[in-house]
C-alpha cells in the first residue's frame, strides 16, 4: 500500500543542515486585489513530516494550503515539491491531494465511487481499482459501507471517506484543511491518534491547517504559527509553547501572564527586570541580548507559578495580590489574582487531593512566586 | 414554532380563495351544457369535443409546442453557460454587463422586449438579409432570449448553494476541468436544469405580447389565437382548453414534487 | 466511447489548436444577449428619432449619404415633442403609474399575511402552500385573466349570485372598468409579491421575536418594531416585481378594461399595430424605459441586500 516504508532516518531532519527539504516554499505571496492573504512566506518541510499551520481565521493558512494544492496561483514566490517547481502545474497534475474541510464528498456517488474517483482519472483498470478501494476502506475501517451514499453516513464516517479518497492515489503530499473541525470533542481526540497512525504507516507527508492549538500540539512534528499572512514562528510543539518568540505566539498558544518592564541589570548570565506596573523585580537566569533600561516583556505560564499564603524570602520573582476568582476545573483549579495595580494574573494549581481542607479561598492575600527559569523574555 | 393568529389565518384562507376561485370556475363551466359560460344548465363534455376538432386551435397548439420545446432547450444551454460563467469565473471583461443583461429581461415589460426585437429583426433583414421575414425562427429567438434569463437565475442560485469544494476535490483527484463539469457540476445542477427547462417551456407557451410583435403570417401561436377569440367574448371551448392545461400542469407539479422529495435529505 | 469522453477529446483537440475554451464559454451567452437584448434597445432609440413615412419600413433613415458624399444626420425630436403635446400620452403614463402603484399596495396588503403564514407554518404544510402559490404561475396567464371575464361580466358569476340572493336587482357593471383591471392585475401578480416576501420572512430568526417578547413587547409591537423593518428588502423586491411589469401591462387592460382605461402598454400596442407609427411607438417605449430606471435600480439593490444578508 505504502510508497516506501519510512526508513529509520533522522527523526528531526529540520535540525540537520545537510538534509534536503521535501517541500520548499520561498518568498511566497498571494494578493487578492488590495488584500495580502499570504505575505512573503518561506518554509521548508521535510519528508514524512506532519506539519501544522496554526492560526486564527483569516491569517492566510488556508490560502497557503490552496496554493500548495494548485487552486490559487501565487502572486509571487516559488513552491517546489520534491525538487519540482509546481507553479504552473494545474491541480489535476500535482502530486498532492487534499482533504477538504467540508469533506466535499460527491453526494451523487457511493462511497466506493468517491474513493475510486482519483484512480479512475488515472485510467486504472476497474478490477485493480476495486482492490485498492477495498484495501483503503479497510484501513479507515469502513469496509461494509462501500455502497452507501455520503448522506447515509455519520460525520465521523464521512471524515474517513474523505481521508480514504485523498490517500488512494498515494500522494507525495497530503493537504488537510481543518480535518477534525466538524467532529465533536470526544471523536476528535480518538481521530487525532488514528490520523497519526495512518500517517506513520503510509509514510506520506502531511500538511494540516487548523485553528485548534490542542489539535496542532497533538498531531504535529512541527507547527508554523501564522498571523496576518506571515509565519511568525516555526518549531516543535514544545518549543512553541515553552519558548515563544513573540508576545503574539505566547498569547495565542495557551494562556500566559505578561509583565511589561525595563532592564535594570544586564549581566552575562542573567538579567534583572523591573516591572513598574506590578511593582516587582524579575530575575532571569540566562543572558539576554539587550541594553540597560530597554523596555521588554516577561511572559510566564499560569502553571509555572506557585501560589502561597507566605511571603517568599527572596526579594524578587514574586508578586502580591488578592484572590479575585477561583474556577474549579476538575484536574486543576484556575485562580485569578488581582494585584494592587488592578492587573489580573492567572495561576493554576493541580488538584492533587480529592478534598483540600486548607484551600486558598476568595479575598485572601496571596503571593505568587516562580523559578528564575520559569518564564521567557520577549522583545516584541 | 408559534401558531399563527386567527387574523393571519383568515387572511391567508381568503388569499388562497382569491387565487383559486377563478381557476375552479373555469373548470366547472367547461362542463356546462349551455353556451352561456356562466349559467349552469347541465353536465356535458361537448366543448372538449368541439375543442379537439377545431383545426385552428390544434394547429396553433402544435406551433406553440414546437416553439416552446426548441426555445426551452436553447435557453437551458445558454442560461446554464451564463450562470456557470457568472458564478465560477472570477473576473473577465464584461462580467458586470453580462450580469446586467441576464437580470434585465426578468423585469422588462413585454411590450418593450417585443417592439425592440421586432425592430431589430427588421433592421437585420434590411442589412444582412436575415432573418428573411418573421415566423417560427424569430419567435424562438425572442423566447430563448427572455427564458435564458430565468434559467440563469435558477441555475445560478443552485450553483451558489453548491459546495465549491466538490469541483476542487475532483480537480485535485486528477479530473480536468471539462471532465469536472460533466462528472460533478452537471449532476449537481441537474434539478435546476430541469426546472429551468420547464419554466422556459411554460413561459414560451404563455407568451402573447412578444410573440404578437415578432411573429409573421402563418405563425400564430396558441395564446395569439386564444386572445383573438377571447376578445370576441367568452366561449366554453376556451374553458375546456384551460381545464386541460390546468390538469396537465397539476399532474406535472405533483410528479415533480414527488421526485424531489427523496433528495431533500442531503 | 461515451459522450463525456467524446466531448473531452474534442476539447483537447481545440485546446491544442490554441483555442481557449474559457473564452468560448463566456462568448456564447454574452453575444447572444448582446445581439438580441442590448442592440434592440439601440435600434428602438434610433428609430424614435426618425420620422414616420409611408414606406417599408415606415420610418425615415437617420442618416443619408448626400450626392457629394457627405454624411447627413437627421434627428427628429418631433416624436418626443408630440408625446408631451398630446395629453393622451401624458395621461396614459400617469394613469399607468397610478394603477401600478395602487395595485402594488393592494397586492402587498394581501400578500403579507399570506407570506407570513406560510413562513411560520409547519414544514409539511409550507411545502403544499408554496406549491399552491406557484401552481397558477405555471398555467396560462391569459386563461386566468379570461376566467375573470366570466366572473365579473354583467351576467357573470358574481352578478348571478348577488341577484339570486336578492342583494341587488340590477346587475352591477364591473367588466370594462378600472375595478376589473385592478382585480386582474392584483390577481395575476400576487405570487410575484408573495414569493420574495416569503423568502425574506422564512429567514427571520424566530429567536428575535422571542427576544422581543421576552423584553416585554406585545405581538403587535414586535411586528412593527422587529418583523416589519427586517422584511423591508422583501417588501421592496416584491413591490418592484409587481410595479415594473404592471407599468407596461397590455393584456389585462385590453381584456378587462374599457375604452377609457388608459395604460401606456395598450397605447404603445395601438400606436404600433393600429396606427403603424413606429417612430412614435419607439419614443413611447424609450420614455417608458426611462421611467423604469429607478424602480429597476431599487429592485437590484433590494436583491443584493437580501443576497448579502444570506451569505
Amino acid at each position: 500500500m505504502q510508497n516506501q516504508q519510512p526508513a529509520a532516518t533522522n527523526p528531526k531532519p529540520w535540525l540537520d543542515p545537510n538534509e534536503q527539504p521535501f517541500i520548499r516554499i520561498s518568498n511566497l505571496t498571494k494578493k487578492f486585489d488590495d488584500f495580502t492573504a499570504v505575505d512573503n512566506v518561506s518554509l521548508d518541510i521535510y519528508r514524512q513530516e506532519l506539519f501544522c499551520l496554526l492560526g486564527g481565521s483569516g491569517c492566510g493558512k488556508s490560502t497557503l494550503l490552496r496554493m500548495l494544492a494548485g487552486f490559487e496561483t501565487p502572486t509571487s514566490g516559488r513552491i517546489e515539491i520534491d525538487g519540482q517547481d509546481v507553479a504552473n502545474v494545474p491541480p489535476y497534475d500535482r502530486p498532492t491531494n487534499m482533504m477538504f474541510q467540508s469533506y466535499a464528498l460527491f453526494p451523487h456517488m457511493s462511497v466506493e465511487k468517491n474513493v475510486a474517483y482519483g484512480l479512475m482519472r488515472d485510467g486504472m483498470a476497474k478490477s485493480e481499482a476495486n482492490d485498492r478501494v477495498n484495501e483503503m476502506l479497510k484501513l479507515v475501517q469502513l469496509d461494509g459501507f462501500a455502497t452507501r451514499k455520503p448522506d447515509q453516513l455519520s460525520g465521523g464516517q464521512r471524515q474517513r471517506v474523505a481521508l480514504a479518497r485523498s490517500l488512494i492515489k498515494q500522494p507525495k503530499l497530503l493537504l488537510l484543511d481543518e480535518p477534525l473541525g466538524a467532529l465533536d470533542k470526544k471523536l476528535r481526540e480518538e481521530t487525532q491518534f488514528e490520523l497519526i497512525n495512518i500517517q506513520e504507516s503510509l509514510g506520506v507527508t502531511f500538511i494540516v491547517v487548523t485553528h485548534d492549538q490542542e489539535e496542532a500540539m497533538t498531531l504535529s512534528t512541527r507547527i508554523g504559527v501564522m498571523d496576518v499572512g506571515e509565519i511568525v514562528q516555526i518549531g516543535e510543539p514544545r518549543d512553541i509553547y515553552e519558548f515563544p518568540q513573540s508576545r503574539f505566539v505566547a498569547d495565542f498558544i495557551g494562556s500566559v501572564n505578561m509583565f511589561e518592564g525595563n532592564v535594570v541589570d544586564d549581566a552575562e548570565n542573567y538579567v534583572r527586570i523591573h516591572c513598574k506596573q506590578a511593582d516587582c523585580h524579575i530575575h532571569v537566569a540566562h543572558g539576554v541580548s539587550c541594553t540597560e533600561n530597554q523596555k521588554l516583556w516577561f511572559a510566564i505560564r499560569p502553571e509555572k507559578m506557585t501560589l502561597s499564603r507566605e511571603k517568599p524570602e527572596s526579594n524578587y520573582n514574586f508578586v502580591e495580590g488578592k484572590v479575585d476568582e477561583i474556577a474549579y476545573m476538575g484536574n486543576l483549579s484556575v485562580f485569578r489574582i488581582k494585584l494592587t495595580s488592578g492587573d489580573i494574573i492567572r495561576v493554576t494549581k493541580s488538584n492533587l487531593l480529592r478534598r483540600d481542607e486548607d484551600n486558598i479561598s476568595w479575598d485572601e492575600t496571596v503571593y505568587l512566586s516562580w523559578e528564575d527559569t520559569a518564564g521567557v523574555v520577549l522583545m516584541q | 414554532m408559534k401558531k399563527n393568529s386567527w387574523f393571519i389565518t383568515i387572511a391567508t384562507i381568503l388569499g388562497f380563495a382569491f387565487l383559486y376561485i377563478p381557476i375552479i370556475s373555469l373548470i366547472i363551466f367547461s362542463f356546462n351544457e349551455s353556451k352561456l359560460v356562466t349559467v349552469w344548465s347541465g353536465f356535458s363534455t361537448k366543448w372538449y369535443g368541439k375543442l379537439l376538432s377545431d383545426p385552428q386551435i390544434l394547429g396553433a397548439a402544435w406551433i406553440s409546442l414546437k416553439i416552446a420545446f426548441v426555445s426551452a432547450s436553447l435557453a437551458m444551454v445558454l442560461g446554464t453557460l451564463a450562470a456557470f460563467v457568472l458564478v465560477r469565473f472570477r473576473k473577465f471583461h464584461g462580467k458586470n454587463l453580462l450580469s446586467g443583461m441576464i437580470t434585465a429581461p426578468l423585469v422588462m415589460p413585454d411590450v418593450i422586449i417585443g417592439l425592440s426585437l421586432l425592430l431589430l429583426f427588421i433592421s437585420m433583414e434590411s442589412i444582412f438579409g436575415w432573418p428573411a421575414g418573421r415566423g417560427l425562427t424569430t419567435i424562438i429567438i425572442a423566447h430563448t432570449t427572455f427564458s435564458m434569463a430565468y434559467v440563469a437565475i435558477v441555475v445560478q442560485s443552485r450553483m451558489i448553494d453548491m459546495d465549491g469544494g466538490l469541483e476542487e476535490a475532483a480537480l485535485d483527484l486528477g479530473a480536468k476541468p471539462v471532465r469536472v463539469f460533466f462528472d460533478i457540476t452537471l449532476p449537481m445542477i441537474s434539478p435546476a436544469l430541469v426546472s429551468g427547462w420547464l419554466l422556459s417551456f411554460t413561459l414560451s407557451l404563455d407568451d402573447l405580447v412578444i410573440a404578437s410583435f415578432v411573429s409573421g403570417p402563418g405563425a400564430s401561436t396558441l395564446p395569439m389565437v386564444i386572445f383573438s377569440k377571447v376578445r370576441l367574448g367568452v366561449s366554453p371551448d376556451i374553458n375546456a382548453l384551460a381545464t386541460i392545461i390546468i390538469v396537465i400542469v397539476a399532474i406535472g407539479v405533483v410528479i415533480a414534487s414527488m421526485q424531489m422529495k427523496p433528495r431533500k435529505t442531503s | 466511447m461515451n459522450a463525456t469522453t467524446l466531448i473531452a477529446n474534442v476539447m483537447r483537440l481545440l485546446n491544442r489548436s490554441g483555442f481557449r475554451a474559457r473564452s468560448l464559454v463566456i462568448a456564447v451567452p454574452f453575444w447572444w444577449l448582446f445581439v438580441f437584448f442590448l442592440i434592440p434597445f439601440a435600434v428602438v432609440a434610433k428609430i424614435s428619432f426618425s420620422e414616420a413615412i409611408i414606406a417599408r419600413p415606415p420610418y425615415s433613415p437617420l442618416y443619408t449619404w448626400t450626392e457629394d458624399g457627405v454624411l447627413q444626420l437627421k434627428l427628429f425630436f418631433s416624436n418626443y415633442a408630440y408625446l408631451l403635446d398630446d395629453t393622451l400620452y401624458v395621461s396614459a403614463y400617469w394613469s399607468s403609474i397610478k394603477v401600478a402603484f395602487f395595485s402594488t399596495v393592494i397586492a402587498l396588503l394581501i400578500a403579507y399575511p399570506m407570506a407570513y403564514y406560510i413562513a411560520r407554518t409547519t414544514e409539511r404544510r409550507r411545502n403544499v402552500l408554496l406549491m399552491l402559490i406557484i401552481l397558477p404561475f405555471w398555467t396560462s396567464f391569459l386563461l386566468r385573466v379570461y376566467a375573470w371575464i366570466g366572473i365579473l361580466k354583467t351576467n357573470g358569476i358574481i352578478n348571478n349570485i348577488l341577484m339570486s340572493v336578492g342583494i341587488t336587482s340590477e346587475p352591477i357593471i364591473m367588466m370594462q372598468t378600472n375595478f376589473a383591471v385592478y382585480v386582474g392585475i392584483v390577481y395575476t401578480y400576487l405570487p410575484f409579491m408573495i414569493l420574495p416576501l416569503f423568502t425574506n420572512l422564512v429567514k427571520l430568526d424566530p429567536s428575535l421575536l422571542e427576544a422581543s417578547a421576552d423584553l416585554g413587547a406585545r405581538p403587535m409591537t414586535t411586528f412593527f418594531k422587529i418583523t416589519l423593518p427586517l422584511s423591508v428588502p422583501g417588501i421592496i423586491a416584491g413591490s418592484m416585481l409587481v410595479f415594473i411589469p404592471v407599468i407596461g401591462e397590455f393584456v389585462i387592460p385590453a381584456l378587462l378594461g374599457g375604452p377609457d382605461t388608459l395604460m401606456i402598454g395598450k397605447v404603445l400596442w395601438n400606436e404600433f399595430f393600429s396606427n403603424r407609427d413606429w417612430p412614435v411607438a419607439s419614443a413611447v417605449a424609450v420614455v417608458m424605459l426611462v421611467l423604469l430606471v429607478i424602480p429597476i435600480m431599487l429592485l437590484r439593490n433590494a436583491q443584493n441586500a437580501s443576497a448579502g444578508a444570506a451569505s
Side-chain angles (χ1 to χ4, degrees), chain A residues 17 25 45 60 73 76 79 100 115 127 196 202 226 282 303 361:
Chain A
I25 297 168
I45 294 170
T73 5
S76 62
I79 302 173
F100 287 76
V115 177
S127 57
I196 298 175
L202 296 184
M226 287 190 76
I282 299 164
E303 75 277 7
S361 174

Side-chain angles (χ1 to χ4, degrees), chain B residues 169-189:
Chain B
L171 280 175
D172 185 59
L173 292 167
K176 299 203 167 59
V178 175
R179 179 100 218 176
V180 174
F181 182 79
F182 286 98
D183 274 4
I184 311 295
T185 318
L186 209 54
M188 293 308 296
I189 62 173

Side-chain angles (χ1 to χ4, degrees), chain B:
Chain B
M1 181 118 333
K2 245 184 130 183
K3 274 188 75 178
N4 283 297
S5 73
W6 59 269
F7 169 76
I8 305 271
T9 310
I10 290 176
T12 306
I13 292 169
L14 289 177
F16 276 102
F18 178 57
L19 280 179
Y20 276 88
I21 282 174
I23 294 175
I24 292 165
S25 80
L26 268 183
I27 297 174
I28 292 174
F29 285 99
S30 75
F31 295 107
N32 193 6
E33 169 89 63
S34 151
K35 195 175 162 55
L36 284 173
V37 168
T38 51
V39 185
W40 185 259
S41 59
F43 183 86
S44 157
T45 53
K46 68 176 177 193
W47 302 113
Y48 289 87
K50 189 174 171 235
L51 177 78
L52 294 178
S53 56
D54 184 337
Q56 196 195 3
I57 295 258
L58 290 181
W62 178 234
I63 288 175
S64 275
L65 286 174
K66 276 194 290 194
I67 291 171
F69 183 84
V70 178
S71 66
S73 307
L74 277 173
M76 187 178 75
V77 175
L78 289 168
T80 306
L81 284 180
F84 184 77
V85 159
L86 286 174
V87 177
R88 289 284 181 258
F89 287 1
R90 246 180 222 154
K91 257 187 203 164
F92 55 88
H93 285 290
K95 184 169 181 176
N96 279 334
L97 181 59
L98 179 62
S99 109
M101 288 193 300
I102 209 79
T103 41
L106 301 179
V107 289
M108 201 51 69
D110 290 349
V111 280
I112 295 186
I113 296 185
L115 175 72
S116 64
L117 270 172
L118 170 63
L119 296 180
L120 173 84
F121 289 141
I122 289 170
S123 308
M124 281 172 78
E125 190 181 5
S126 71
I127 298 171
F128 310 110
W130 185 89
R134 283 163 303 284
L136 283 191
T137 316
T138 49
I139 301 177
I140 286 171
I141 290 175
H143 284 182
T144 304
T145 306
F146 76 79
S147 298
M148 71 182 274
Y150 285 86
V151 175
I153 298 298
V154 175
V155 174
Q156 221 175 339
S157 64
R158 174 85 191 178
M159 274 193 174
I160 290 169
D161 287 344
M162 175 182 159
D163 177 7
L166 293 178
E167 285 156 334
E168 286 179 350
L171 280 175
D172 185 59
L173 292 167
K176 299 203 167 59
V178 175
R179 179 100 218 176
V180 174
F181 182 79
F182 286 98
D183 274 4
I184 311 295
T185 318
L186 209 54
M188 293 308 296
I189 62 173
S190 61
L193 294 190
V194 173
S195 48
W197 190 91
L198 285 173
L199 190 59
S200 308
F201 189 81
T202 19
L203 284 169
S204 168
L205 273 188
D206 212 14
D207 168 63
L208 164 71
V209 174
I210 296 172
S212 301
F213 274 99
V214 299
S215 123
S220 287
T221 62
L222 189 59
M224 288 163 73
V225 171
I226 296 174
F227 186 67
S228 61
K229 274 180 176 279
V230 166
R231 276 200 132 170
L232 302 174
V234 287
S235 70
D237 49 342
I238 298 295
N239 284 39
L241 178 65
T243 307
I244 292 173
I245 292 178
I246 290 164
V247 168
I248 292 173
V249 168
I251 291 173
V253 168
V254 169
I255 290 176
S257 66
M258 286 196 316
Q259 292 258 303
M260 300 296 246
K261 276 232 168 91
R263 282 174 196 278
K264 279 210 73 183
T265 45
S266 56

